[in-house]
């Protein structure tokens, strides 16, 4: 006597065989009843969990939703044609993006392996041979054999596996969006750093010129017996300090140029010629619109990919549960040739002796789904954190830029007054040198603040999920350097 318990379709299977043949006949009948009873696929039907998104971002103030963030070319907010062109080139040539797109191709092909493709199989073979008996008689034999089978999806194993592969494909598509965002963030940040180090080098060159003037003034005063050689030595020392810092600034600009060349998958030499044309540090000219936290669920590709992985893990539960129950396979075989034969009939497989292993696989699938949900929730709250941090830093950096602009303007006036006073013999050279140090420090601090403000703004755009679905087709033409 065989009992199959926990039948999800509500059908108790009871077989009391008198022979092996009776077992098969009754089992097939029972499976047919199950097949045509309208049993739905096992496992939970997926629905995205409610993440209880807050009404607004802390530090963001009241804001409306941002619905089309994924197609917003936010880098245009810098109003820098050179940067726009670099982004477009990279979107078509970046190797990380190309690899991510290939993963989409692989995932798309993988969907063809599941669902109905799993239920149908078969092969054809042709056997042609010549043999010779001990009597010396030669015999030619030719046989064509065709085998085919169809597995009935009684408990939805193949429907769930198709759902799983489709969710994996969608996750791969969103992963490509995440790769694009990472590319955009690194490229624009590297470009900002190139312009920052170029600005710092120009500031240092201006300072070197200023300190040479101070040194020349000190020499003239010493020759006229109005100053001392100590003042000359002090001016020369400060000049040498400025000259020593210039090479590393130039080198850092070139290092970031190398990084951009790698991101664009293009030769460094031709790119360096383009970037060596000095430009100001990019300044964002677009509003800081961050939307509301719920926008991240549709705008952030990493969050959407995480949600699709949860859907895939949920479908996997149904696959593993279906494998706990009987399967019905209909197979046929035809052989044509010297001997014509055929066979046709059903096969019922009942998992019995490996049920413990199959139950463990189902429990693992349940745990995987719970882990996927935890990962989904964590990705979402991490996204909220990133947006709030970027909002706070962008606002603070803007305030810092304003303060340093005022400080730099004041330092310029102090240096001019100190130099005129020194030339008139009212103050010592120490006052001039101190004013030059302060002016250099303030100008470098202003350039750094402008760079950090631009990079904080970049991180805000990326954390909101802007630009990853932007297409360069029909956009600005690409220039070949």
């Amino acid at each position: 006597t065989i009992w199959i318990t926990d039948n999800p379709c509500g059908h108790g299977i009871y077989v009391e065989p008198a022979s092996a043949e009776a077992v098969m006949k009754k089992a097939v009948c029972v499976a047919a009843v199950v097949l045509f009873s309208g049993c739905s696929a096992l496992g939970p039907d997926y629905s995205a969990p409610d993440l209880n998104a807050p009404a607004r971002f802390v530090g963001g103030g009241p804001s409306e939703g941002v619905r089309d963030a994924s197609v917003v070319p936010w880098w245009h907010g810098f109003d820098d044609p050179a940067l726009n062109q670099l982004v477009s080139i990279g979107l078509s040539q970046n190797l990380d993006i190309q690899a991510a797109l290939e993963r989409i191709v692989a995932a798309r092909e993988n969907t063809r392996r599941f669902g109905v493709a799993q239920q149908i199989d078969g092969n054809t073979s042709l056997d042609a041979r010549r043999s010779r008996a001990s009597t010396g008689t030669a015999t030619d034999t030719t046989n064509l054999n065709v085998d085919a089978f169809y597995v009935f999806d009684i408990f939805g194993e193949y429907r769930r596996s198709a759902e799983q592969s489709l969710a994996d494909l969608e996750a791969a598509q969103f992963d490509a969006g995440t790769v694009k965002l990472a590319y955009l963030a690194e490229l624009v940040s590297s470009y900002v750093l190139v312009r920052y180090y170029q600005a710092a080098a120009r500031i240092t060159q201006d300072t070197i010129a200023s300190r040479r003037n101070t040194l020349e003034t000190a020499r003239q005063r010493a020759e006229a017996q109005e100053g001392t050689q100590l003042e000359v030595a002090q001016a020369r020392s400060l000049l040498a300090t400025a000259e020593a810092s210039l090479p590393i600034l130039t080198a850092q600009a070139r290092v970031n140029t190398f990084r951009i060349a790698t991101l664009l998958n293009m030769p460094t030499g031709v790119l360096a010629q383009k970037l060596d044309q000095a430009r100001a540090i990019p300044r964002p000219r677009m509003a800081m619109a961050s939307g509301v936290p719920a926008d991240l669920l549709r705008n952030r590709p990493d969050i959407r990919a995480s949600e699709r992985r949860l859907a895939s893990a949920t479908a996997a539960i149904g696959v593993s549960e279906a494998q706990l129950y009987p399967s019905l396979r209909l197979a046929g075989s035809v052989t044509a040739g010297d001997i014509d034969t055929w066979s046709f009939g059903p096969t019922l497989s009942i998992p019995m002796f490996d049920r413990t292993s199959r139950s463990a696989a189902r429990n693992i699938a349940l745990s995987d789904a719970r882990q996927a949900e935890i990962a989904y929730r964590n990705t979402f709250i991490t996204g909220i954190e990133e947006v709030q941090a970027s909002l706070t830093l962008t606002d603070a950096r803007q305030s810092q830029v304003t303060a340093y602009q005022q400080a730099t303007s004041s330092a310029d006036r102090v240096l001019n007054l100190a130099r005129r006073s020194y030339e008139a013999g009212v103050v010592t050279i120490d006052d001039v040198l101190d004013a030059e140090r302060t002016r250099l420090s303030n100008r470098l601090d202003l350039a750094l603040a402008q760079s950090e403000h631009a990079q904080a703004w970049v991180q805000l755009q990326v954390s909101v999920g802007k630009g990853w679905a932007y297409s360069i087709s029909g956009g600005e033409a690409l220039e070949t350097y």
Side-chain angles (χ1 to χ4, degrees):
T1 301
I2 301 176
W3 279 97
I4 305 298
T5 59
D6 285 340
N7 186 349
C9 298
H11 304 291
I13 298 180
Y14 173 75
V15 180
E16 188 175 351
S19 65
E21 182 179 0
V23 170
M24 180 56 65
K25 288 182 178 179
K26 291 186 178 182
V28 170
C29 291
V30 170
V33 170
V34 174
L35 173 64
F36 295 108
S37 64
C39 178
S40 61
L42 294 184
D45 292 326
Y46 177 74
S47 62
D50 184 5
L51 300 185
N52 297 319
R56 64 183 184 88
F57 293 111
V58 174
S63 180
E64 297 181 357
V66 179
R67 296 189 174 274
D68 298 322
S70 63
V71 297
V72 174
W74 52 265
W75 51 94
H76 289 180
F78 285 115
D79 194 21
D80 189 325
L83 174 60
N84 296 341
Q85 192 173 65
L86 294 178
V87 170
S88 294
I89 293 173
L91 285 174
S92 63
Q93 297 182 177
N94 178 262
L95 296 180
D96 289 335
I97 293 177
Q98 291 181 16
L101 295 177
E102 278 303 314
R103 288 192 287 272
I104 294 176
V105 173
R108 182 177 293 113
E109 291 301 313
N110 194 50
T111 61
R112 300 172 59 187
R113 300 171 51 220
F114 296 95
V116 175
Q118 294 175 283
Q119 297 176 252
I120 302 174
D121 199 2
N123 59 76
T124 301
S125 62
L126 177 64
D127 181 18
R129 66 183 64 193
R130 182 180 179 86
S131 60
R132 182 173 181 173
S134 59
T135 60
T137 304
T139 304
D140 294 323
T141 59
T142 302
N143 291 296
L144 175 65
N145 185 71
V146 179
D147 294 310
F149 71 83
Y150 177 79
V151 181
F152 293 97
D153 195 14
I154 302 175
F155 300 107
E157 175 183 354
Y158 304 114
R159 278 170 282 172
R160 293 302 191 195
S161 63
E163 292 176 11
Q164 183 179 8
S165 65
L166 181 59
D168 289 338
L169 169 59
E170 293 170 336
Q173 292 170 334
F174 291 127
D175 283 340
T178 303
V179 171
K180 286 184 179 180
L181 272 184
Y183 151 77
L184 289 169
E186 187 170 7
L187 174 66
V188 178
S189 293
S190 297
Y191 181 80
V192 170
L193 286 175
V194 168
R195 298 311 186 193
Y196 159 68
Y197 283 114
Q198 289 176 340
R202 290 195 302 272
I203 292 170
T204 302
Q205 289 170 342
D206 291 344
T207 300
I208 290 172
S210 174
R211 290 181 180 178
R212 282 176 179 163
N213 290 335
T214 301
L215 175 59
E216 183 60 27
T217 302
R219 283 175 178 167
Q220 292 175 359
R221 286 177 57 80
E223 291 173 359
Q225 304 296 318
E226 296 176 355
T228 66
Q229 290 299 319
L230 175 60
E231 293 179 337
V232 174
Q234 288 175 316
R236 183 179 292 111
S237 174
L238 204 58
L239 171 61
T241 299
E243 291 174 334
S245 63
L246 183 58
I248 193 63
L249 295 173
T250 304
Q252 288 288 3
R254 188 53 56 91
V255 166
N256 282 279
T257 299
F258 297 158
R259 184 58 193 155
I260 293 175
T262 299
L263 291 172
L264 268 56
N265 187 27
M266 66 184 300
T268 302
V270 291
L271 178 64
Q273 294 176 6
K274 183 73 174 179
L275 292 183
D276 283 347
Q277 301 174 15
R279 288 178 178 268
I281 299 172
R283 181 168 61 89
R285 306 173 190 276
M286 186 182 292
M288 289 198 312
S290 59
V292 295
D295 291 333
L296 300 183
L297 297 176
R298 59 175 171 267
N299 293 335
R300 284 276 295 246
D302 57 335
I303 295 176
R304 296 186 68 174
S306 183
E307 184 271 334
R308 288 292 82 199
R309 291 191 179 90
L310 172 57
S312 174
T314 302
I317 297 174
V319 173
S320 61
E321 285 193 356
Q323 292 172 349
L324 291 170
Y325 298 97
S327 63
L328 180 63
R329 169 174 165 162
L330 189 62
S333 176
V334 177
T335 301
D338 295 331
I339 301 176
D340 295 336
T341 63
W342 64 271
S343 63
F344 177 79
T347 301
L348 179 67
S349 299
I350 303 177
M352 296 178 61
F353 301 108
D354 64 342
R355 190 171 181 82
T356 299
S357 175
R358 293 175 182 247
S359 297
R362 189 267 313 273
N363 293 338
I364 291 173
L366 288 169
S367 177
D368 288 343
R370 287 192 290 268
Q371 293 178 54
E373 181 177 352
I374 292 171
Y376 175 44
R377 293 181 181 276
N378 184 62
T379 305
F380 178 59
I381 63 174
T382 300
I384 293 177
E385 175 195 356
E386 290 173 354
V387 173
Q388 292 179 158
S390 298
L391 281 168
T392 301
L393 284 175
T394 302
D395 185 62
R397 295 298 186 191
Q398 178 58 64
S399 299
Q400 188 179 44
V401 168
T402 301
Y404 276 128
Q405 286 173 334
Q406 296 173 352
T408 300
S409 178
S410 297
D412 288 340
R413 291 194 299 271
V414 169
L415 178 58
N416 289 333
L417 291 172
R419 182 172 285 115
R420 289 200 297 267
S421 298
Y422 175 63
E423 292 172 353
V426 177
V427 298
T428 66
I429 196 172
D430 290 335
D431 297 302
V432 178
L433 299 181
D434 286 342
E436 286 187 333
R437 290 191 193 95
T438 301
R439 179 174 180 266
L440 174 62
S441 176
N442 286 346
R443 293 185 68 188
L444 290 176
D445 286 342
L446 173 59
L448 181 60
Q450 290 171 332
S451 169
E452 291 178 337
H453 174 234
Q455 294 192 63
W457 188 82
V458 168
Q459 290 303 316
L460 174 60
Q461 310 312 307
V462 171
S463 63
V464 170
K466 293 182 180 179
W468 60 270
Y470 175 77
S471 174
I472 61 172
S473 58
E476 58 267 22
L478 303 185
E479 176 183 338
T480 301
Y481 292 143

